[in-house]
Amino acid sequence: MASLPIHIAIPLAEECLARIQAVSPRLRLTHRPFSPYEPPVAMDTDLRDVEILLSHHASFEMAAAPHLRWLQLAGDGVDHLRGRPIAASDVLVTNARIFATPITEYVFASILAFHRRFPTMMERFQKGRIWPKDQWLEYAGDEVAGKTMAIIGYGSIGRSLGRVARSFEMTVVATRRRIDRPAHEDGVDVFPASHLREVLARGDDVVICLPLTSETEGAIGETELRAMKPSAYLVNIGRGKVIREAALLRALEEGWIGGAGLDVHAQTPLLGTSPFFDLPNVILTPHMSGVSQGYAVRITALFCENLRRYIDGQPLLNIVDKQAGY
């Protein structure tokens, strides 16, 4: 029985590696983790015999991995593969799609913090130790019940958001690229991407879940931001370049929208000189909405399931459409 060479290039604990090895005695594992924020050349492992790779990215020339048949990405986004040799190869690429739970929790943490004025309270009361003269006036936050959430990009994360939003007694509307007429799914009105401005205009809270592709880059610009309510709160957990950053900055400074929760940015890392740091109506985080203690368990479970399918000749989960870019 021929061995199956697999290289794991992400940090995993011994118990996770043991769980992967237990899938089949055929597996021959090597493990040399590196950070996704290291330069791509940091993955200098010998890939000449590797058939399966679990990694954050794959920027190598295909001659360096002549036997590679399947790349399991450790994250969702595949925009970093655009223009790379692997994108033009016949190597099967699957992504993770395991972030719906932590990202949904993050989105609601951001929305609730904004509407209930937590940043102001932490600055003035907790740090400044200033007891309000009248907290009913100063800290009377808004309720999300009865508001409308607009989800731009109704995929697995969008569906999770929709379920939780409805439990908060919110109305939910959404856009999805791969439909050609409006539909009603699980209590959510879903529209084709061509209805973007209409859906944006309805949202009290707007969540951008779009991947970065040639079609979505810059999709949210001045016209789209001006279509939103002046009180709307925008949360971006997709990709920073989906929104035209100069237009977003003006929207926040000039009051076209009420505020924004930004986990992704056009430039990563976000420079300390960025004007977004100085805006009182912005909650910034360093691209961590999908980060949680449960990540290693979920990526291990997904990889094990896909390994079983690969060995048995069954279709893999989460196959990436290289042409579409997601």
Side-chain angles (χ1 to χ4, degrees), residues 95-152:
N95 61 358
R97 303 183 200 176
I98 56 174
F99 300 102
T101 294
I103 289 180
T104 294
E105 293 181 0
Y106 168 93
V107 167
F108 275 91
S110 185
I111 287 173
L112 293 170
F114 179 79
H115 288 306
R116 299 308 300 267
R117 308 198 66 190
F118 268 61
T120 301
M121 278 191 283
M122 291 184 70
E123 189 66 30
R124 287 181 54 77
F125 176 59
Q126 188 167 337
K127 291 184 181 179
R129 307 186 186 195
I130 302 170
W131 189 270
K133 292 181 180 179
D134 184 346
Q135 60 266 41
W136 289 74
L137 290 176
E138 192 168 341
Y139 296 124
D142 208 355
E143 301 170 1
V144 297
K147 292 186 180 296
T148 295
M149 174 177 284
I151 301 169
I152 310 304

Side-chain angles (χ1 to χ4, degrees), residues 84-324:
R84 300 293 187 183
I86 199 164
S89 75
D90 60 358
V91 172
L92 185 68
V93 178
T94 56
N95 61 358
R97 303 183 200 176
I98 56 174
F99 300 102
T101 294
I103 289 180
T104 294
E105 293 181 0
Y106 168 93
V107 167
F108 275 91
S110 185
I111 287 173
L112 293 170
F114 179 79
H115 288 306
R116 299 308 300 267
R117 308 198 66 190
F118 268 61
T120 301
M121 278 191 283
M122 291 184 70
E123 189 66 30
R124 287 181 54 77
F125 176 59
Q126 188 167 337
K127 291 184 181 179
R129 307 186 186 195
I130 302 170
W131 189 270
K133 292 181 180 179
D134 184 346
Q135 60 266 41
W136 289 74
L137 290 176
E138 192 168 341
Y139 296 124
D142 208 355
E143 301 170 1
V144 297
K147 292 186 180 296
T148 295
M149 174 177 284
I151 301 169
I152 310 304
Y154 194 62
S156 59
I157 293 170
R159 288 190 293 273
S160 175
L161 281 167
R163 287 192 298 271
V164 175
R166 292 184 66 230
S167 74
F168 272 94
E169 300 179 11
M170 301 180 78
T171 298
V172 184
V173 294
T175 65
R176 188 169 65 208
R177 178 176 177 268
R178 290 184 173 177
I179 59 172
D180 55 13
R181 60 175 60 88
H184 190 74
E185 302 178 13
D186 299 321
V188 176
D189 290 326
V190 186
F191 296 87
S194 57
H195 290 238
L196 174 61
R197 293 175 196 169
E198 174 188 338
V199 172
L200 287 172
R202 293 178 60 180
D204 297 295
D205 294 289
V206 174
V207 187
I208 308 298
C209 302
L210 296 173
L212 181 63
T213 69
S214 57
E215 291 183 0
T216 64
E217 187 167 354
I220 309 295
E222 179 172 344
T223 302
E224 290 72 26
L225 291 165
R226 287 190 182 276
M228 292 169 60
K229 297 179 181 181
S231 58
Y233 183 63
L234 180 151
V235 183
N236 189 8
I237 51 83
R239 284 292 184 264
K241 290 182 179 179
V242 167
I243 303 177
R244 297 184 185 274
E245 201 165 79
L248 178 59
L249 185 62
R250 285 188 60 205
L252 292 162
E253 290 176 332
E254 299 176 14
W256 310 351
I257 62 175
L262 305 176
D263 185 52
V264 289
H265 318 280
Q267 181 178 1
T268 301
L270 186 64
L271 297 178
T273 55
S274 171
F276 286 102
F277 282 107
D278 300 317
L279 296 179
N281 55 347
V282 173
I283 298 176
L284 292 175
T285 54
H287 199 172
M288 47 62 64
S289 61
V291 176
S292 73
Q293 300 282 338
Y295 169 76
V297 171
R298 282 196 295 271
I299 192 64
T300 299
L302 171 65
F303 190 50
C304 287
E305 175 60 26
N306 263 346
L307 274 173
R308 294 185 190 99
R309 289 167 175 257
Y310 184 88
I311 292 169
D312 293 341
Q314 298 177 349
L316 303 190
L317 301 174
N318 307 341
I319 295 175
V320 171
D321 183 334
K322 293 180 184 178
Q323 287 295 110

